Amino acid sequence: MKLTSLQPQLTELLNENTLDVDHKLTQVCEILKQNVAHYDWVGFYFKNGDKDELKLRAFAGEPTDHTIIPFGKGICGQVAVSNENFLVDDVSAQDNYIACSIHVKSEAVIPLFLDGENIGQIDIDSHTPNAFTKEDEDFLEWVNAQVAKVL
């Protein structure tokens, strides 16, 4: 499946005027998880007020205990500091990885910018090793750019 084939559905959802932002974010997570075979958990984390931490705002997949992540901790916390995409082929090889599930083999975290500021990120966990490609990275950057428009 071409990831770009999901763009019209996501665009329509995000442009829907009757839904609040949290509902839209949850639906984006659900669409991605249901339609992309190697996306086993999809979530949006956002900066938690003035604190140097991320707070889970929306997700699809198994519930997680990691609803708050300090900046610098784990892959998500590193992206909050680095402002750079982070595709992890093998989470077990990462010293700073926060295990959410024993089934997670790879992870993609893409920062979400609003007016040039990193305000959050999309986090994708996969049960497949080496799951993420440049196509995933480009597509998730597009998703975040669309999400930023409704924040």
Side-chain angles (χ1 to χ4, degrees):
M1 163 196 209
K2 292 292 279 178
L3 295 172
T4 54
S5 68
L6 293 173
Q7 288 177 337
Q9 183 180 5
L10 292 168
T11 299
E12 182 180 339
L13 166 68
L14 290 168
N15 289 329
E16 174 60 54
N17 292 326
T18 61
L19 303 175
D20 67 27
V21 172
D22 288 329
H23 186 85
K24 289 178 183 182
L25 292 173
T26 299
Q27 287 302 308
V28 168
C29 294
E30 290 288 346
I31 289 168
L32 295 180
K33 183 181 180 305
Q34 290 172 6
N35 290 283
V36 184
H38 60 283
Y39 290 10
D40 294 296
W41 190 92
V42 180
F44 283 100
Y45 285 92
F46 286 91
K47 188 171 188 299
N48 190 10
D50 293 334
K51 300 175 186 171
D52 285 340
E53 65 185 22
L54 298 164
K55 183 175 183 180
L56 183 62
R57 186 163 172 185
F59 73 95
E62 292 293 317
T64 179
D65 292 334
H66 302 118
T67 57
I68 301 288
I69 299 175
F71 282 12
K73 183 127 172 86
I75 308 305
C76 291
Q78 289 177 66
V79 169
V81 173
S82 74
N83 299 321
E84 296 179 3
N85 299 348
F86 200 162
L87 303 183
V88 181
D89 292 334
D90 178 4
V91 295
S92 68
Q94 293 293 315
D95 292 337
N96 195 20
Y97 175 67
I98 301 172
C100 293
S101 162
I102 60 168
H103 303 293
V104 176
K105 303 296 185 217
S106 56
E107 183 172 11
V109 180
I110 309 296
L112 195 158
F113 295 96
L114 183 62
D115 299 327
E117 179 185 354
N118 181 352
I119 61 159
Q121 55 200 226
I122 190 167
D123 177 22
I124 315 284
D125 291 345
S126 180
H127 299 169
T128 305
N130 306 308
F132 302 103
T133 66
K134 178 72 170 139
E135 181 187 9
D136 292 287
E137 186 175 14
D138 292 344
F139 174 68
L140 295 170
E141 285 177 354
W142 178 88
V143 169
N144 279 355
Q146 302 315 300
V147 167
K149 293 176 184 177
V150 302
L151 296 175

